[in-house]
Amino acid sequence: MSVRILYFAGLREALGRASENVDLPTGIATVGALRDWLAGQGRDKLASAKNLRCAVNQDMAGPDAAIRDGDEIAFFPPVTGG
Amino acid sequence: MSAPTIVRIQEADFDLNAELTALRAGDARIGALASFVGLVRDINDGAGVSEMTLEHYPGMTEKALEAIVDEAKTRWDIYGALVIHRVGPLKPCDQIVLVAVTSAHRGEAFAACEFIMDYLKTRAPFWKRETTPDGARWVDARDSDDSAAERWQ
């Protein structure tokens, strides 16, 4: 399964990248599992960041949300617009 | 009459009078137009702010704002709604965001305008980075913004 990952704001800066395409091992089927797996691949900030938010295909999603092949999954800090 | 929902993300400034005039143009049902403008301050969390840069998530931002306006339209009897949010570099005193709502009477317009703004603050993917005398920093989310949004639930 292949997904596109996007990072924003302080998380993007800390990781030194705005996006990446990743091939996931079988068994990574939720946002929470994806985050843990990415943290284990050297994206340390994904493990330590507090209150990290996630969106799957541009809709806010919690850690239990399912992910599927071809999804666009974004991780970012709490929003501060307005 | 149609009831427009207009959502725009742009770097350019906006002309408040022109936007509000266009939102209500030719619609004699409208008896109330409530609007809110957010501005860049020159101080935040005890530090002077000389510049602010707004980042967003293209695509999701528009989708999230349209969903917030749709929710407002289910809760209140409103006609048109306009949300303009700027991105990119901004200076103190610059306009950041405009939310405007039209309705027959003021109650719906006031409430819907405040609701849209409160939800925007916690659900629309924008991030502020500000320049202070100690360097640049990402603005932290405020608990008070979460509390403001929760009032509507």
Side-chain angles (χ1 to χ4, degrees):
Chain A
M1 177 162 91
S2 174
V3 294
R4 179 160 180 79
I5 316 282
L6 305 178
Y7 304 111
F8 289 95
L11 183 65
R12 169 178 55 73
E13 276 190 349
L15 293 172
R17 67 180 83 203
S19 65
E20 58 185 324
N21 294 307
V22 294
D23 292 314
L24 298 176
T26 50
I28 307 295
T30 64
V31 163
L34 172 65
R35 179 179 170 176
D36 292 344
W37 182 80
L38 285 166
Q41 300 294 305
R43 279 61 142 187
D44 302 354
K45 191 68 183 175
L46 280 172
S48 60
K50 289 195 172 65
N51 302 318
L52 208 58
R53 303 291 200 265
C54 181
V56 176
N57 298 325
Q58 305 186 349
D59 284 320
M60 288 288 196
D64 297 331
I67 56 174
R68 295 178 182 82
D69 187 50
D71 279 351
E72 175 180 292
I73 299 152
F75 292 99
F76 44 82
V79 301
T80 55
Chain B
M1 289 290 294
S2 62
T5 293
I6 304 161
V7 168
R8 296 209 315 261
I9 312 300
Q10 61 189 44
E11 289 203 16
D13 197 10
F14 50 84
D15 179 333
L16 187 56
N17 190 47
E19 298 295 348
L20 298 185
T21 300
L23 184 65
R24 67 182 185 81
D27 190 344
R29 298 173 306 168
I30 296 172
L33 193 174
S35 66
F36 171 86
V37 179
L39 306 163
V40 181
R41 296 186 305 148
D42 67 358
I43 189 162
N44 187 34
D45 287 337
V49 174
S50 57
E51 187 175 289
M52 171 179 287
T53 302
L54 267 146
E55 176 174 328
H56 77 123
Y57 179 173
M60 180 174 171
T61 315
E62 292 84 349
K63 201 171 157 182
L65 291 172
E66 283 162 11
I68 292 167
V69 172
D70 286 348
E71 174 72 23
K73 286 186 171 182
T74 68
R75 293 185 182 216
W76 294 281
D77 193 8
I78 60 175
Y79 300 142
L82 167 68
V83 181
I84 301 175
H85 203 299
R86 295 178 68 193
V87 293
L90 297 171
K91 298 278 193 192
C93 299
D94 280 354
Q95 302 183 118
I96 305 173
V97 60
L98 166 63
V99 174
V101 177
T102 59
S103 60
H105 303 288
R106 70 184 182 287
E108 291 88 348
F110 273 132
C113 186
E114 189 170 23
F115 167 86
I116 290 169
M117 200 54 221
D118 283 348
Y119 268 36
L120 180 157
K121 295 284 286 189
T122 53
R123 299 184 177 204
F126 294 100
W127 301 273
K128 287 177 180 149
R129 182 183 169 84
E130 58 192 14
T131 304
T132 74
D134 295 328
R137 64 184 185 187
W138 291 96
V139 174
D140 284 330
R142 292 175 195 275
D143 291 340
S144 58
D145 288 335
D146 287 329
S147 311
E150 282 163 11
R151 287 182 302 150
W152 303 100
Q153 287 165 13

